[in-house]
PDB file of all heavy atoms in Angstrom:
ATOM      1  N   LEU T   1      28.647 103.963  82.130  1.00 64.00           N
ATOM      2  CA  LEU T   1      28.984 105.375  81.956  1.00 64.00           C
ATOM      3  C   LEU T   1      30.424 105.562  81.508  1.00 64.00           C
ATOM      4  O   LEU T   1      30.766 106.561  80.879  1.00 64.00           O
ATOM      5  CB  LEU T   1      28.756 106.130  83.270  1.00 64.00           C
ATOM      6  CG  LEU T   1      27.315 106.176  83.788  1.00 64.00           C
ATOM      7  CD1 LEU T   1      27.276 106.848  85.150  1.00 64.00           C
ATOM      8  CD2 LEU T   1      26.421 106.906  82.800  1.00 64.00           C
ATOM      9  N   GLU T   2      31.289 104.586  81.817  1.00 64.00           N
ATOM     10  CA  GLU T   2      32.702 104.698  81.465  1.00 64.00           C
ATOM     11  C   GLU T   2      33.053 104.016  80.152  1.00 64.00           C
ATOM     12  O   GLU T   2      34.197 104.068  79.709  1.00 64.00           O
ATOM     13  CB  GLU T   2      33.553 104.077  82.585  1.00 64.00           C
ATOM     14  CG  GLU T   2      33.355 104.724  83.938  1.00 64.00           C
ATOM     15  CD  GLU T   2      34.064 103.949  85.034  1.00 64.00           C
ATOM     16  OE1 GLU T   2      33.455 102.999  85.555  1.00 64.00           O
ATOM     17  OE2 GLU T   2      35.222 104.289  85.337  1.00 64.00           O
ATOM     18  N   ALA T   3      32.077 103.370  79.526  1.00 60.00           N
ATOM     19  CA  ALA T   3      32.366 102.556  78.337  1.00 60.00           C
ATOM     20  C   ALA T   3      33.009 103.363  77.214  1.00 60.00           C
ATOM     21  O   ALA T   3      33.930 102.891  76.549  1.00 60.00           O
ATOM     22  CB  ALA T   3      31.081 101.900  77.840  1.00 60.00           C
ATOM     23  N   ALA T   4      32.556 104.592  76.995  1.00 59.00           N
ATOM     24  CA  ALA T   4      33.070 105.390  75.885  1.00 59.00           C
ATOM     25  C   ALA T   4      34.534 105.773  76.069  1.00 59.00           C
ATOM     26  O   ALA T   4      35.247 105.989  75.087  1.00 59.00           O
ATOM     27  CB  ALA T   4      32.221 106.649  75.715  1.00 59.00           C
ATOM     28  N   GLY T   5      34.982 105.836  77.313  1.00 62.00           N
ATOM     29  CA  GLY T   5      36.349 106.267  77.562  1.00 62.00           C
ATOM     30  C   GLY T   5      37.350 105.139  77.760  1.00 62.00           C
ATOM     31  O   GLY T   5      38.524 105.397  78.030  1.00 62.00           O
ATOM     32  N   LEU T   6      36.928 103.899  77.621  1.00 58.00           N
ATOM     33  CA  LEU T   6      37.834 102.771  77.847  1.00 58.00           C
ATOM     34  C   LEU T   6      38.746 102.540  76.658  1.00 58.00           C
ATOM     35  O   LEU T   6      38.328 102.645  75.505  1.00 58.00           O
ATOM     36  CB  LEU T   6      37.038 101.497  78.121  1.00 58.00           C
ATOM     37  CG  LEU T   6      36.256 101.448  79.434  1.00 58.00           C
ATOM     38  CD1 LEU T   6      35.455 100.163  79.506  1.00 58.00           C
ATOM     39  CD2 LEU T   6      37.195 101.555  80.620  1.00 58.00           C
ATOM     40  N   ASP T   7      40.021 102.229  76.931  1.00 60.00           N
ATOM     41  CA  ASP T   7      40.981 101.882  75.884  1.00 60.00           C
ATOM     42  C   ASP T   7      41.166 100.366  75.927  1.00 60.00           C
ATOM     43  O   ASP T   7      41.978  99.846  76.688  1.00 60.00           O
ATOM     44  CB  ASP T   7      42.312 102.595  76.130  1.00 60.00           C
ATOM     45  CG  ASP T   7      43.352 102.276  75.045  1.00 60.00           C
ATOM     46  OD1 ASP T   7      42.982 101.586  74.070  1.00 60.00           O
ATOM     47  OD2 ASP T   7      44.507 102.706  75.187  1.00 60.00           O
ATOM     48  N   CYS T   8      40.384  99.666  75.121  1.00 57.00           N
ATOM     49  CA  CYS T   8      40.398  98.206  75.169  1.00 57.00           C
ATOM     50  C   CYS T   8      41.723  97.621  74.711  1.00 57.00           C
ATOM     51  O   CYS T   8      42.136  96.558  75.167  1.00 57.00           O
ATOM     52  CB  CYS T   8      39.267  97.636  74.307  1.00 57.00           C
ATOM     53  SG  CYS T   8      37.622  98.075  74.912  1.00 57.00           S
ATOM     54  N   SER T   9      42.427  98.315  73.814  1.00 60.00           N
ATOM     55  CA  SER T   9      43.703  97.770  73.311  1.00 60.00           C
ATOM     56  C   SER T   9      44.745  97.716  74.413  1.00 60.00           C
ATOM     57  O   SER T   9      45.653  96.886  74.383  1.00 60.00           O
ATOM     58  CB  SER T   9      44.211  98.627  72.146  1.00 60.00           C
ATOM     59  OG  SER T   9      44.460  99.958  72.596  1.00 60.00           O
ATOM     60  N   ALA T  10      44.630  98.578  75.413  1.00 53.00           N
ATOM     61  CA  ALA T  10      45.614  98.613  76.489  1.00 53.00           C
ATOM     62  C   ALA T  10      45.442  97.465  77.467  1.00 53.00           C
ATOM     63  O   ALA T  10      46.329  97.195  78.268  1.00 53.00           O
ATOM     64  CB  ALA T  10      45.526  99.944  77.232  1.00 53.00           C
ATOM     65  N   THR T  11      44.320  96.782  77.405  1.00 50.00           N
ATOM     66  CA  THR T  11      44.068  95.705  78.370  1.00 50.00           C
ATOM     67  C   THR T  11      44.200  94.325  77.763  1.00 50.00           C
ATOM     68  O   THR T  11      43.916  93.337  78.404  1.00 50.00           O
ATOM     69  CB  THR T  11      42.657  95.847  78.955  1.00 50.00           C
ATOM     70  OG1 THR T  11      41.695  95.739  77.895  1.00 50.00           O
ATOM     71  CG2 THR T  11      42.482  97.180  79.654  1.00 50.00           C
ATOM     72  N   LYS T  12      44.625  94.254  76.484  1.00 49.00           N
ATOM     73  CA  LYS T  12      44.763  92.949  75.849  1.00 49.00           C
ATOM     74  C   LYS T  12      45.886  92.162  76.490  1.00 49.00           C
ATOM     75  O   LYS T  12      46.960  92.690  76.773  1.00 49.00           O
ATOM     76  CB  LYS T  12      45.023  93.105  74.351  1.00 49.00           C
ATOM     77  CG  LYS T  12      43.786  93.546  73.567  1.00 49.00           C
ATOM     78  CD  LYS T  12      44.078  93.607  72.089  1.00 49.00           C
ATOM     79  CE  LYS T  12      42.833  94.016  71.307  1.00 49.00           C
ATOM     80  NZ  LYS T  12      43.114  94.137  69.870  1.00 49.00           N
ATOM     81  N   ASP T  13      45.649  90.882  76.716  1.00 49.00           N
ATOM     82  CA  ASP T  13      46.653  90.000  77.304  1.00 49.00           C
ATOM     83  C   ASP T  13      47.053  88.986  76.254  1.00 49.00           C
ATOM     84  O   ASP T  13      46.250  88.138  75.866  1.00 49.00           O
ATOM     85  CB  ASP T  13      46.070  89.293  78.536  1.00 49.00           C
ATOM     86  CG  ASP T  13      47.093  88.388  79.205  1.00 49.00           C
ATOM     87  OD1 ASP T  13      48.251  88.364  78.740  1.00 49.00           O
ATOM     88  OD2 ASP T  13      46.723  87.705  80.168  1.00 49.00           O
ATOM     89  N   PRO T  14      48.298  89.036  75.742  1.00 45.00           N
ATOM     90  CA  PRO T  14      48.717  88.124  74.681  1.00 45.00           C
ATOM     91  C   PRO T  14      48.885  86.690  75.156  1.00 45.00           C
ATOM     92  O   PRO T  14      49.043  85.785  74.358  1.00 45.00           O
ATOM     93  CB  PRO T  14      50.055  88.714  74.221  1.00 45.00           C
ATOM     94  CG  PRO T  14      50.579  89.402  75.443  1.00 45.00           C
ATOM     95  CD  PRO T  14      49.361  89.948  76.151  1.00 45.00           C
ATOM     96  N   SER T  15      48.886  86.474  76.450  1.00 44.00           N
ATOM     97  CA  SER T  15      49.111  85.123  76.968  1.00 44.00           C
ATOM     98  C   SER T  15      47.825  84.318  76.981  1.00 44.00           C
ATOM     99  O   SER T  15      46.910  84.624  77.731  1.00 44.00           O
ATOM    100  CB  SER T  15      49.672  85.204  78.396  1.00 44.00           C
ATOM    101  OG  SER T  15      49.703  83.911  78.963  1.00 44.00           O
ATOM    102  N   PRO T  16      47.732  83.241  76.146  1.00 43.00           N
ATOM    103  CA  PRO T  16      46.500  82.447  76.116  1.00 43.00           C
ATOM    104  C   PRO T  16      46.326  81.590  77.347  1.00 43.00           C
ATOM    105  O   PRO T  16      45.253  81.076  77.598  1.00 43.00           O
ATOM    106  CB  PRO T  16      46.696  81.569  74.870  1.00 43.00           C
ATOM    107  CG  PRO T  16      48.178  81.443  74.735  1.00 43.00           C
ATOM    108  CD  PRO T  16      48.741  82.758  75.221  1.00 43.00           C
ATOM    109  N   SER T  17      47.382  81.432  78.130  1.00 42.00           N
ATOM    110  CA  SER T  17      47.303  80.551  79.299  1.00 42.00           C
ATOM    111  C   SER T  17      46.696  81.236  80.508  1.00 42.00           C
ATOM    112  O   SER T  17      46.301  80.588  81.467  1.00 42.00           O
ATOM    113  CB  SER T  17      48.701  80.036  79.667  1.00 42.00           C
ATOM    114  OG  SER T  17      49.535  81.121  79.993  1.00 42.00           O
ATOM    115  N   ARG T  18      46.648  82.573  80.468  1.00 39.00           N
ATOM    116  CA  ARG T  18      46.117  83.293  81.608  1.00 39.00           C
ATOM    117  C   ARG T  18      44.595  83.149  81.651  1.00 39.00           C
ATOM    118  O   ARG T  18      43.917  83.416  80.675  1.00 39.00           O
ATOM    119  CB  ARG T  18      46.489  84.772  81.517  1.00 39.00           C
ATOM    120  CG  ARG T  18      46.008  85.559  82.731  1.00 39.00           C
ATOM    121  CD  ARG T  18      46.410  87.006  82.637  1.00 39.00           C
ATOM    122  NE  ARG T  18      45.898  87.756  83.758  1.00 39.00           N
ATOM    123  CZ  ARG T  18      45.982  89.069  83.866  1.00 39.00           C
ATOM    124  NH1 ARG T  18      46.569  89.766  82.925  1.00 39.00           N
ATOM    125  NH2 ARG T  18      45.486  89.682  84.914  1.00 39.00           N
ATOM    126  N   GLN T  19      44.071  82.762  82.781  1.00 41.00           N
ATOM    127  CA  GLN T  19      42.630  82.567  82.925  1.00 41.00           C
ATOM    128  C   GLN T  19      42.023  83.738  83.662  1.00 41.00           C
ATOM    129  O   GLN T  19      42.534  84.168  84.690  1.00 41.00           O
ATOM    130  CB  GLN T  19      42.342  81.265  83.685  1.00 41.00           C
ATOM    131  CG  GLN T  19      40.860  80.950  83.774  1.00 41.00           C
ATOM    132  CD  GLN T  19      40.602  79.684  84.559  1.00 41.00           C
ATOM    133  OE1 GLN T  19      41.362  79.344  85.447  1.00 41.00           O
ATOM    134  NE2 GLN T  19      39.520  78.992  84.232  1.00 41.00           N
ATOM    135  N   SER T  20      40.943  84.258  83.102  1.00 39.00           N
ATOM    136  CA  SER T  20      40.266  85.380  83.735  1.00 39.00           C
ATOM    137  C   SER T  20      39.630  84.937  85.039  1.00 39.00           C
ATOM    138  O   SER T  20      39.084  83.845  85.131  1.00 39.00           O
ATOM    139  CB  SER T  20      39.176  85.919  82.804  1.00 39.00           C
ATOM    140  OG  SER T  20      38.321  86.774  83.513  1.00 39.00           O
ATOM    141  N   PRO T  21      39.716  85.782  86.086  1.00 42.00           N
ATOM    142  CA  PRO T  21      39.051  85.415  87.342  1.00 42.00           C
ATOM    143  C   PRO T  21      37.538  85.338  87.196  1.00 42.00           C
ATOM    144  O   PRO T  21      36.864  84.803  88.048  1.00 42.00           O
ATOM    145  CB  PRO T  21      39.448  86.553  88.293  1.00 42.00           C
ATOM    146  CG  PRO T  21      39.788  87.694  87.397  1.00 42.00           C
ATOM    147  CD  PRO T  21      40.393  87.081  86.173  1.00 42.00           C
ATOM    148  N   LEU T  22      37.000  85.884  86.092  1.00 41.00           N
ATOM    149  CA  LEU T  22      35.557  85.842  85.883  1.00 41.00           C
ATOM    150  C   LEU T  22      35.121  84.604  85.125  1.00 41.00           C
ATOM    151  O   LEU T  22      33.932  84.362  84.967  1.00 41.00           O
ATOM    152  CB  LEU T  22      35.104  87.076  85.098  1.00 41.00           C
ATOM    153  CG  LEU T  22      35.425  88.424  85.744  1.00 41.00           C
ATOM    154  CD1 LEU T  22      34.958  89.552  84.840  1.00 41.00           C
ATOM    155  CD2 LEU T  22      34.774  88.529  87.105  1.00 41.00           C
ATOM    156  N   SER T  23      36.079  83.786  84.646  1.00 39.00           N
ATOM    157  CA  SER T  23      35.709  82.651  83.814  1.00 39.00           C
ATOM    158  C   SER T  23      34.762  81.669  84.478  1.00 39.00           C
ATOM    159  O   SER T  23      33.941  81.066  83.794  1.00 39.00           O
ATOM    160  CB  SER T  23      36.967  81.915  83.332  1.00 39.00           C
ATOM    161  OG  SER T  23      37.742  81.482  84.421  1.00 39.00           O
ATOM    162  N   PRO T  24      34.808  81.457  85.808  1.00 43.00           N
ATOM    163  CA  PRO T  24      33.824  80.537  86.396  1.00 43.00           C
ATOM    164  C   PRO T  24      32.386  81.001  86.188  1.00 43.00           C
ATOM    165  O   PRO T  24      31.473  80.198  86.116  1.00 43.00           O
ATOM    166  CB  PRO T  24      34.188  80.534  87.893  1.00 43.00           C
ATOM    167  CG  PRO T  24      35.628  80.889  87.918  1.00 43.00           C
ATOM    168  CD  PRO T  24      35.805  81.874  86.807  1.00 43.00           C
ATOM    169  N   LEU T  25      32.178  82.338  86.095  1.00 40.00           N
ATOM    170  CA  LEU T  25      30.822  82.837  85.888  1.00 40.00           C
ATOM    171  C   LEU T  25      30.297  82.455  84.515  1.00 40.00           C
ATOM    172  O   LEU T  25      29.098  82.291  84.315  1.00 40.00           O
ATOM    173  CB  LEU T  25      30.803  84.365  86.000  1.00 40.00           C
ATOM    174  CG  LEU T  25      30.954  84.942  87.394  1.00 40.00           C
ATOM    175  CD1 LEU T  25      31.084  86.445  87.283  1.00 40.00           C
ATOM    176  CD2 LEU T  25      29.786  84.562  88.258  1.00 40.00           C
ATOM    177  N   LEU T  26      31.220  82.321  83.538  1.00 39.00           N
ATOM    178  CA  LEU T  26      30.808  82.076  82.173  1.00 39.00           C
ATOM    179  C   LEU T  26      30.888  80.603  81.823  1.00 39.00           C
ATOM    180  O   LEU T  26      30.582  80.218  80.707  1.00 39.00           O
ATOM    181  CB  LEU T  26      31.705  82.879  81.212  1.00 39.00           C
ATOM    182  CG  LEU T  26      31.805  84.375  81.525  1.00 39.00           C
ATOM    183  CD1 LEU T  26      32.742  85.049  80.542  1.00 39.00           C
ATOM    184  CD2 LEU T  26      30.438  85.018  81.477  1.00 39.00           C
ATOM    185  N   GLY T  27      31.325  79.774  82.741  1.00 40.00           N
ATOM    186  CA  GLY T  27      31.482  78.355  82.468  1.00 40.00           C
ATOM    187  C   GLY T  27      30.152  77.668  82.290  1.00 40.00           C
ATOM    188  O   GLY T  27      29.148  78.056  82.853  1.00 40.00           O
ATOM    189  N   ARG T  28      30.158  76.638  81.485  1.00 41.00           N
ATOM    190  CA  ARG T  28      28.947  75.867  81.273  1.00 41.00           C
ATOM    191  C   ARG T  28      28.788  74.856  82.398  1.00 41.00           C
ATOM    192  O   ARG T  28      29.733  74.489  83.077  1.00 41.00           O
ATOM    193  CB  ARG T  28      29.032  75.109  79.933  1.00 41.00           C
ATOM    194  CG  ARG T  28      29.274  76.014  78.746  1.00 41.00           C
ATOM    195  CD  ARG T  28      28.159  77.006  78.561  1.00 41.00           C
ATOM    196  NE  ARG T  28      26.918  76.319  78.246  1.00 41.00           N
ATOM    197  CZ  ARG T  28      25.766  76.911  78.153  1.00 41.00           C
ATOM    198  NH1 ARG T  28      25.662  78.201  78.383  1.00 41.00           N
ATOM    199  NH2 ARG T  28      24.679  76.223  77.864  1.00 41.00           N
ATOM    200  N   ARG T  29      27.550  74.394  82.584  1.00 45.00           N
ATOM    201  CA  ARG T  29      27.306  73.389  83.604  1.00 45.00           C
ATOM    202  C   ARG T  29      27.982  72.089  83.190  1.00 45.00           C
ATOM    203  O   ARG T  29      28.193  71.825  82.019  1.00 45.00           O
ATOM    204  CB  ARG T  29      25.805  73.159  83.777  1.00 45.00           C
ATOM    205  CG  ARG T  29      25.100  74.362  84.378  1.00 45.00           C
ATOM    206  CD  ARG T  29      23.641  74.049  84.620  1.00 45.00           C
ATOM    207  NE  ARG T  29      22.981  75.181  85.237  1.00 45.00           N
ATOM    208  CZ  ARG T  29      22.343  76.104  84.557  1.00 45.00           C
ATOM    209  NH1 ARG T  29      22.287  76.055  83.257  1.00 45.00           N
ATOM    210  NH2 ARG T  29      21.763  77.113  85.193  1.00 45.00           N
ATOM    211  N   GLY T  30      28.301  71.277  84.167  1.00 40.00           N
ATOM    212  CA  GLY T  30      28.961  70.004  83.898  1.00 40.00           C
ATOM    213  C   GLY T  30      28.095  69.070  83.087  1.00 40.00           C
ATOM    214  O   GLY T  30      26.933  69.333  82.809  1.00 40.00           O
ATOM    215  N   LEU T  31      28.682  67.978  82.667  1.00 43.00           N
ATOM    216  CA  LEU T  31      27.946  66.997  81.896  1.00 43.00           C
ATOM    217  C   LEU T  31      26.765  66.479  82.690  1.00 43.00           C
ATOM    218  O   LEU T  31      26.824  66.306  83.901  1.00 43.00           O
ATOM    219  CB  LEU T  31      28.874  65.820  81.530  1.00 43.00           C
ATOM    220  CG  LEU T  31      30.039  66.167  80.601  1.00 43.00           C
ATOM    221  CD1 LEU T  31      30.904  64.955  80.406  1.00 43.00           C
ATOM    222  CD2 LEU T  31      29.531  66.673  79.273  1.00 43.00           C
ATOM    223  N   LEU T  32      25.675  66.246  81.970  1.00 43.00           N
ATOM    224  CA  LEU T  32      24.467  65.769  82.632  1.00 43.00           C
ATOM    225  C   LEU T  32      24.676  64.340  83.110  1.00 43.00           C
ATOM    226  O   LEU T  32      25.193  63.494  82.394  1.00 43.00           O
ATOM    227  CB  LEU T  32      23.286  65.825  81.653  1.00 43.00           C
ATOM    228  CG  LEU T  32      22.951  67.233  81.141  1.00 43.00           C
ATOM    229  CD1 LEU T  32      21.793  67.163  80.180  1.00 43.00           C
ATOM    230  CD2 LEU T  32      22.633  68.155  82.293  1.00 43.00           C
ATOM    231  N   GLY T  33      24.265  64.071  84.303  1.00 55.00           N
ATOM    232  CA  GLY T  33      24.436  62.734  84.860  1.00 55.00           C
ATOM    233  C   GLY T  33      23.127  61.979  84.884  1.00 55.00           C
ATOM    234  O   GLY T  33      22.429  61.893  83.879  1.00 55.00           O
ATOM    235  N   ASP T  34      22.781  61.481  86.052  1.00 89.00           N
ATOM    236  CA  ASP T  34      21.571  60.675  86.173  1.00 89.00           C
ATOM    237  C   ASP T  34      20.318  61.521  86.026  1.00 89.00           C
ATOM    238  O   ASP T  34      20.364  62.731  85.924  1.00 89.00           O
ATOM    239  CB  ASP T  34      21.581  59.948  87.515  1.00 89.00           C
ATOM    240  CG  ASP T  34      21.698  60.914  88.685  1.00 89.00           C
ATOM    241  OD1 ASP T  34      22.251  62.019  88.507  1.00 89.00           O
ATOM    242  OD2 ASP T  34      21.223  60.573  89.766  1.00 89.00           O
ATOM    243  N   ARG T  35      19.192  60.853  86.021  1.00 93.00           N
ATOM    244  CA  ARG T  35      17.921  61.535  85.846  1.00 93.00           C
ATOM    245  C   ARG T  35      17.295  61.860  87.194  1.00 93.00           C
ATOM    246  O   ARG T  35      17.527  61.171  88.179  1.00 93.00           O
ATOM    247  CB  ARG T  35      16.980  60.665  85.008  1.00 93.00           C
ATOM    248  CG  ARG T  35      17.527  60.424  83.604  1.00 93.00           C
ATOM    249  CD  ARG T  35      16.673  59.450  82.832  1.00 93.00           C
ATOM    250  NE  ARG T  35      15.413  60.024  82.418  1.00 93.00           N
ATOM    251  CZ  ARG T  35      15.251  60.837  81.374  1.00 93.00           C
ATOM    252  NH1 ARG T  35      16.286  61.172  80.634  1.00 93.00           N
ATOM    253  NH2 ARG T  35      14.054  61.314  81.058  1.00 93.00           N
ATOM    254  N   ILE T  36      16.529  62.930  87.219  1.00 97.00           N
ATOM    255  CA  ILE T  36      15.847  63.354  88.441  1.00 97.00           C
ATOM    256  C   ILE T  36      14.340  63.422  88.166  1.00 97.00           C
ATOM    257  O   ILE T  36      13.914  63.463  87.003  1.00 97.00           O
ATOM    258  CB  ILE T  36      16.343  64.729  88.937  1.00 97.00           C
ATOM    259  CG1 ILE T  36      16.038  65.818  87.902  1.00 97.00           C
ATOM    260  CG2 ILE T  36      17.835  64.678  89.259  1.00 97.00           C
ATOM    261  CD1 ILE T  36      16.248  67.223  88.403  1.00 97.00           C
ATOM    262  N   GLN T  37      13.575  63.445  89.235  1.00 97.00           N
ATOM    263  CA  GLN T  37      12.128  63.569  89.099  1.00 97.00           C
ATOM    264  C   GLN T  37      11.690  64.944  89.585  1.00 97.00           C
ATOM    265  O   GLN T  37      12.091  65.381  90.659  1.00 97.00           O
ATOM    266  CB  GLN T  37      11.417  62.485  89.901  1.00 97.00           C
ATOM    267  CG  GLN T  37       9.900  62.549  89.799  1.00 97.00           C
ATOM    268  CD  GLN T  37       9.228  61.333  90.405  1.00 97.00           C
ATOM    269  OE1 GLN T  37       9.212  60.265  89.816  1.00 97.00           O
ATOM    270  NE2 GLN T  37       8.702  61.499  91.607  1.00 97.00           N
ATOM    271  N   VAL T  38      10.894  65.613  88.767  1.00 98.00           N
ATOM    272  CA  VAL T  38      10.391  66.937  89.109  1.00 98.00           C
ATOM    273  C   VAL T  38       8.866  66.900  89.035  1.00 98.00           C
ATOM    274  O   VAL T  38       8.291  66.380  88.075  1.00 98.00           O
ATOM    275  CB  VAL T  38      10.929  68.018  88.141  1.00 98.00           C
ATOM    276  CG1 VAL T  38      10.375  69.396  88.514  1.00 98.00           C
ATOM    277  CG2 VAL T  38      12.453  68.032  88.156  1.00 98.00           C
ATOM    278  N   HIS T  39       8.217  67.438  90.060  1.00 98.00           N
ATOM    279  CA  HIS T  39       6.766  67.536  90.094  1.00 98.00           C
ATOM    280  C   HIS T  39       6.379  68.896  89.508  1.00 98.00           C
ATOM    281  O   HIS T  39       6.966  69.918  89.871  1.00 98.00           O
ATOM    282  CB  HIS T  39       6.246  67.391  91.519  1.00 98.00           C
ATOM    283  CG  HIS T  39       6.794  66.184  92.227  1.00 98.00           C
ATOM    284  ND1 HIS T  39       6.444  64.901  91.884  1.00 98.00           N
ATOM    285  CD2 HIS T  39       7.694  66.080  93.230  1.00 98.00           C
ATOM    286  CE1 HIS T  39       7.093  64.049  92.657  1.00 98.00           C
ATOM    287  NE2 HIS T  39       7.864  64.746  93.476  1.00 98.00           N
ATOM    288  N   TYR T  40       5.397  68.898  88.631  1.00 98.00           N
ATOM    289  CA  TYR T  40       5.038  70.118  87.902  1.00 98.00           C
ATOM    290  C   TYR T  40       3.525  70.286  87.893  1.00 98.00           C
ATOM    291  O   TYR T  40       2.786  69.357  87.564  1.00 98.00           O
ATOM    292  CB  TYR T  40       5.591  70.022  86.478  1.00 98.00           C
ATOM    293  CG  TYR T  40       5.176  71.128  85.544  1.00 98.00           C
ATOM    294  CD1 TYR T  40       5.442  72.465  85.841  1.00 98.00           C
ATOM    295  CD2 TYR T  40       4.542  70.839  84.337  1.00 98.00           C
ATOM    296  CE1 TYR T  40       5.065  73.479  84.974  1.00 98.00           C
ATOM    297  CE2 TYR T  40       4.173  71.841  83.461  1.00 98.00           C
ATOM    298  CZ  TYR T  40       4.431  73.157  83.782  1.00 98.00           C
ATOM    299  OH  TYR T  40       4.071  74.163  82.929  1.00 98.00           O
ATOM    300  N   SER T  41       3.064  71.466  88.289  1.00 98.00           N
ATOM    301  CA  SER T  41       1.631  71.751  88.334  1.00 98.00           C
ATOM    302  C   SER T  41       1.330  73.026  87.569  1.00 98.00           C
ATOM    303  O   SER T  41       2.131  73.968  87.562  1.00 98.00           O
ATOM    304  CB  SER T  41       1.156  71.932  89.785  1.00 98.00           C
ATOM    305  OG  SER T  41       1.383  70.777  90.547  1.00 98.00           O
ATOM    306  N   ILE T  42       0.161  73.049  86.930  1.00 98.00           N
ATOM    307  CA  ILE T  42      -0.331  74.273  86.293  1.00 98.00           C
ATOM    308  C   ILE T  42      -1.676  74.612  86.943  1.00 98.00           C
ATOM    309  O   ILE T  42      -2.542  73.756  87.077  1.00 98.00           O
ATOM    310  CB  ILE T  42      -0.462  74.121  84.767  1.00 98.00           C
ATOM    311  CG1 ILE T  42      -1.382  72.956  84.403  1.00 98.00           C
ATOM    312  CG2 ILE T  42       0.922  73.904  84.144  1.00 98.00           C
ATOM    313  CD1 ILE T  42      -1.671  72.865  82.903  1.00 98.00           C
ATOM    314  N   ILE T  43      -1.821  75.854  87.368  1.00 98.00           N
ATOM    315  CA  ILE T  43      -2.984  76.239  88.174  1.00 98.00           C
ATOM    316  C   ILE T  43      -3.587  77.541  87.658  1.00 98.00           C
ATOM    317  O   ILE T  43      -2.873  78.536  87.467  1.00 98.00           O
ATOM    318  CB  ILE T  43      -2.574  76.419  89.655  1.00 98.00           C
ATOM    319  CG1 ILE T  43      -1.954  75.128  90.196  1.00 98.00           C
ATOM    320  CG2 ILE T  43      -3.774  76.839  90.499  1.00 98.00           C
ATOM    321  CD1 ILE T  43      -1.241  75.303  91.523  1.00 98.00           C
ATOM    322  N   ASN T  44      -4.888  77.524  87.447  1.00 98.00           N
ATOM    323  CA  ASN T  44      -5.618  78.736  87.080  1.00 98.00           C
ATOM    324  C   ASN T  44      -6.856  78.852  87.962  1.00 98.00           C
ATOM    325  O   ASN T  44      -7.786  78.058  87.845  1.00 98.00           O
ATOM    326  CB  ASN T  44      -6.035  78.706  85.607  1.00 98.00           C
ATOM    327  CG  ASN T  44      -7.075  79.793  85.305  1.00 98.00           C
ATOM    328  OD1 ASN T  44      -6.973  80.910  85.803  1.00 98.00           O
ATOM    329  ND2 ASN T  44      -8.077  79.448  84.509  1.00 98.00           N
TER     330      ASN T  44
END
């Protein structure tokens, strides 16, 4: 509801070193390691 009234230019941070507190939410999963076994069933 507030999107139309936001001034995005006022919130720009010129510092590339600053990390957003939300960045962990957007992070990718770590490198894949060993293999796992998963049991899978299809039922009708």
Side-chain angles (χ1 to χ4, degrees):
L1 297 175
E2 301 172 274
L6 292 176
D7 181 5
C8 296
S9 62
T11 61
K12 287 183 179 178
D13 181 3
S15 171
S17 61
R18 183 179 177 187
Q19 184 181 30
S20 166
L22 301 178
S23 58
L25 287 173
L26 307 178
R28 303 298 296 174
R29 292 184 178 94
L31 295 176
L32 299 179
D34 57 334
R35 297 174 73 79
I36 63 169
Q37 180 170 284
V38 179
H39 309 290
Y40 173 58
S41 300
I42 57 173
I43 302 167
N44 166 40

